Amino acid sequence: KKVLTKILSEFKNTDLCIVSGLALGIDTTAHKAAIDNNMPTIAVLGSGINKIYPQTNKKLFREIIDKGGLVVSEYPINSGAKAYHFPLRNRIVSGMSDCTLVAEAAIHSGALITARLCLEQNRELMCIPGAITNPGTAGIYKLLKEGAGIVTCGEDILNYTNWKMDKISNAENHNKMSAEEEKIVELLRQDLLTIDELAIKTGLQADDLMIILTRLELDDIITQEKGGFYCVI
């Protein structure tokens, strides 16, 4: 959940749309990350619109709609959730999406069903690698061995899909930089700096710094030149 949240935060304020199933776990994490980062999101239910499942996600259901997202279902409006609904629902999740990112998958799991559907629908399949001692990653490494793409950061997704992100309210975003972003931009106005030099000057951890730099690049505020030097556009 932590890794997926960090990856999706790199697409903050872009038009990348997250499609998932409103289930507990990774689905919930994906929808929340989209909302928190001002990205559109679509939830595909395994029940009718009036029978939200799980009920603990009723608040998230409403938040998705209030933020301009979409909730869809192929089932009658008052239809309850059935076990067989969810594998069927997955074909819509993958079918609505240009690519599928699998965050975790046991060797016998619904995530592998979605992965198979993704490939049958001629979509791009990608996976987030995890510890090989975790039973929840057995399915991940099966997919990777079969040729799925490896994703450890947002840039990997862009490379696999050849996407260029459009910014939402880009001019407004420039005026809403965090204190860390403002400090980095000010440093780069004074001189070209590498990520190691920025880490020393800002005191930020490498992972946190990379997320901020990627976000500033996506917002067309900074760019990386030859030699790994960053500068303000």
Side-chain angles (χ1 to χ4, degrees):
K1 293 176 184 177
K2 182 178 179 181
V3 172
L4 179 63
T5 299
K6 291 186 74 172
I7 289 173
L8 294 185
S9 72
E10 297 176 32
F11 297 107
K12 185 174 183 178
N13 295 317
T14 68
D15 64 349
L16 185 142
C17 182
I18 302 300
V19 184
S20 200
L22 202 71
L24 295 176
I26 289 297
D27 286 23
T28 296
T29 300
H31 291 306
K32 287 183 175 178
I35 291 170
D36 291 343
N37 289 286
N38 193 32
M39 298 156 58
T41 186
I42 299 173
V44 184
L45 304 185
S47 60
I49 295 293
N50 280 352
K51 298 288 185 179
I52 304 305
Y53 182 86
Q55 291 190 4
T56 51
N57 271 348
K58 279 187 175 181
K59 182 179 178 182
L60 179 59
F61 169 91
R62 175 50 55 189
E63 193 171 2
I64 290 172
I65 295 172
D66 290 343
K67 295 291 185 179
L70 184 67
V71 178
V72 299
S73 173
E74 66 176 328
Y75 299 108
I77 192 167
N78 291 312
S79 176
K82 306 292 184 183
Y84 65 88
H85 286 179
F86 298 99
L88 289 172
R89 178 271 315 276
N90 292 347
R91 82 191 191 286
I92 301 176
V93 173
S94 58
M96 293 180 74
S97 308
D98 290 317
C99 62
T100 293
L101 175 63
V102 182
E104 192 173 61
I107 202 65
H108 299 292
S109 64
L112 290 187
I113 295 175
T114 308
R116 175 178 57 79
L117 291 167
C118 166
L119 295 176
E120 289 177 357
Q121 294 163 338
N122 198 28
R123 308 297 205 270
E124 188 74 38
L125 178 63
M126 298 169 285
C127 297
I128 300 174
I132 60 174
T133 52
N134 177 6
T137 65
I140 291 288
Y141 285 101
K142 178 180 183 297
L143 294 174
L144 291 175
K145 289 174 183 178
E146 293 173 354
I150 298 176
V151 169
T152 60
C153 64
E155 187 176 359
D156 290 335
I157 296 175
L158 298 182
N159 290 337
Y160 282 122
T161 57
N162 292 318
W163 285 343
K164 292 185 182 295
M165 294 288 91
D166 291 331
K167 318 304 178 303
I168 299 175
S169 302
N170 195 47
E172 181 181 341
N173 294 337
H174 281 222
N175 297 324
K176 291 186 176 181
M177 288 191 293
S178 66
E180 290 86 359
E181 290 171 335
E182 289 179 353
K183 184 174 183 179
I184 290 171
V185 171
E186 184 58 34
L187 287 169
L188 294 179
R189 283 198 179 105
Q190 300 170 21
D191 196 7
L192 300 180
L193 297 171
T194 65
I195 188 170
D196 292 334
E197 291 170 333
L198 283 168
I200 293 171
K201 289 180 179 291
T202 61
L204 292 169
Q205 295 295 320
D207 287 350
D208 294 332
L209 180 57
M210 180 56 70
I211 289 173
I212 295 173
L213 291 174
T214 301
R215 187 179 303 141
L216 290 172
E217 283 190 273
L218 288 171
D219 283 343
D220 291 331
I221 297 173
I222 67 171
T223 188
Q224 188 175 17
E225 302 289 344
K226 290 183 179 179
F229 289 94
Y230 288 90
C231 66
V232 175
I233 296 177

